[in-house]
Amino acid sequence: MSTHLVCPVCGKPFECGPHEGDQHVLSPIQECPVKKGALYVFVKDDRGDSIPKAKTYCGSNSFGTDSHGYAFYEQLDADKYPTKVVVEESDKSVSSNYYAVHRTSLNPAVQGGKITMVEFVLHRFGDMLVKLERTDGKSDLPRASFQVSGLNHSPDPSSKDDEKGQASFPKLKPTESYSASCALSSQDDLKNFKLVEDQKPDQKVKADQVTEVIFKVDPRFWIDLSLVDQTNNNLTGQFALKQDGKNITEKDVGGDIHHVPDLQSGKVEIEEITLSDSREFVSLS
């Protein structure tokens, strides 16, 4: 199969033989009128676009790739040369945006008068935005803590607290699967809101894109009840609540305010108040 690659010395095209994986040595190696051999390294991304400024090694020598994604190692003796690309040592434009999935090193043979071509493929990161949305469509959101983790890779940091109901997790790997979780941050938020679900496993991101993971939150409706007399002394008694004609709860009320959570939006009827001790004047608050 012909390729767009040609020898810069003789102009002959390289031929690509059978290979497996994302990295390979092009073969058969084409003859070139030079006394020694050469090795050319080409670094590209998962879309096939060239990557400049990637740090490559051939034996003890090192070059960054040029604007076309190539690093040229010439005038080499016939031998095998450990060849690799190192993302962490590359320019920030590479190390901040790409990562390696498969092998990043080879040990190709160089022959006199011939050029060996080696390719490496790097993958692009993606971002994840984890956010809250209310089921009733309103914009007032509780404070929340978000966490993202993966089996083989987790963001740094892996958890974030945010008062705006969302948090961004950059530089995730599209080749990995992540689990996102959410927890409400304060007792007041837990009193006023309820998460529909707090875990979302098997989340994937797309390269060069922001993938949204949305947690739904329901508003809670509640009331606090206490029984007091006209001198504000606490009373002991019992009450019953009804909503839409249905019994909700029947509780004993002591000295503290009684919290009744998880009501529906609408009117609540308070009836059947029974005091444990006899008082003439009773107010309900």
Side-chain angles (χ1 to χ4, degrees):
M1 178 177 69
S2 297
T3 72
H4 67 288
L5 305 174
V6 296
C7 172
V9 179
C10 66
K12 291 183 178 180
F14 290 102
E15 296 292 327
C16 182
H19 56 77
E20 295 181 357
D22 288 333
Q23 293 80 27
H24 53 274
V25 178
L26 298 182
S27 63
I29 302 170
Q30 298 296 300
E31 293 186 2
C32 183
V34 293
K35 294 181 179 180
K36 292 192 175 184
L39 188 145
Y40 293 173
V41 179
F42 178 56
V43 182
K44 63 181 181 179
D45 66 18
D46 47 290
R47 292 182 301 197
D49 296 332
S50 60
I51 301 177
K53 299 182 179 182
K55 188 69 170 290
T56 68
Y57 286 86
C58 177
S60 60
N61 297 319
S62 176
F63 292 110
T65 53
D66 62 16
S67 60
H68 300 290
Y70 289 95
F72 302 107
Y73 296 90
E74 297 177 318
Q75 296 298 305
L76 300 177
D77 293 325
D79 202 349
K80 287 188 175 182
Y81 291 85
T83 305
K84 62 183 178 180
V85 59
V86 182
V87 177
E88 295 77 12
E89 297 181 12
S90 300
D91 184 81
K92 188 176 181 180
S93 62
V94 178
S95 60
S96 297
N97 296 298
Y98 299 93
Y99 68 99
V101 177
H102 302 291
R103 60 188 181 187
T104 56
S105 63
L106 293 168
N107 198 33
V110 172
Q111 301 181 39
K114 297 180 180 180
I115 297 173
T116 300
M117 182 71 193
V118 174
E119 287 187 355
F120 293 109
V121 175
L122 303 181
H123 289 250
R124 296 160 293 138
F125 286 113
D127 296 345
M128 181 182 290
L129 181 65
V130 187
K131 58 192 297 187
L132 287 178
E133 284 187 0
R134 289 178 55 150
T135 54
D136 59 4
K138 294 183 178 180
S139 59
D140 183 30
L141 293 169
R143 292 162 293 180
S145 174
F146 303 99
Q147 184 170 7
V148 174
S149 61
L151 182 62
N152 300 308
H153 174 257
S154 291
D156 184 20
S158 61
S159 62
K160 293 184 178 180
D161 294 325
D162 200 288
E163 296 184 0
K164 297 180 180 179
Q166 63 181 35
S168 177
F169 294 87
K171 294 183 67 173
L172 300 188
K173 299 179 177 181
T175 52
E176 296 287 343
S177 190
Y178 296 91
S179 177
S181 62
C182 176
L184 301 186
S185 298
S186 70
Q187 290 300 316
D188 283 343
D189 291 322
L190 289 170
K191 186 177 181 180
N192 292 308
F193 296 95
K194 179 181 180 181
L195 285 166
V196 176
E197 55 183 337
D198 59 6
Q199 296 278 341
K200 285 187 177 291
D202 302 323
Q203 300 297 310
K204 305 281 287 188
V205 299
K206 294 183 179 180
D208 289 340
Q209 295 185 27
V210 177
T211 300
E212 290 190 353
V213 177
I214 299 174
F215 286 92
K216 294 289 187 178
V217 62
D218 285 327
R220 289 181 184 267
F221 299 95
W222 51 269
I223 59 174
D224 286 337
L225 293 173
S226 65
L227 295 174
V228 296
D229 67 10
Q230 59 187 351
T231 61
N232 287 329
N233 292 321
N234 291 326
L235 300 176
T236 301
Q238 190 177 76
F239 65 89
L241 293 181
K242 287 187 177 182
Q243 190 172 44
D244 297 331
K246 297 180 180 179
N247 289 326
I248 298 173
T249 183
E250 185 174 314
K251 295 290 183 181
D252 291 329
V253 178
D256 296 327
I257 294 175
H258 185 74
H259 179 67
V260 183
D262 297 328
L263 301 176
Q264 299 297 316
S265 176
K267 293 182 178 180
V268 176
E269 297 176 7
I270 304 172
E271 56 183 37
E272 299 180 16
I273 301 173
T274 304
L275 300 180
S276 300
D277 54 352
S278 178
R279 300 294 174 94
E280 184 177 354
F281 299 102
V282 177
S283 66
L284 189 63
S285 63

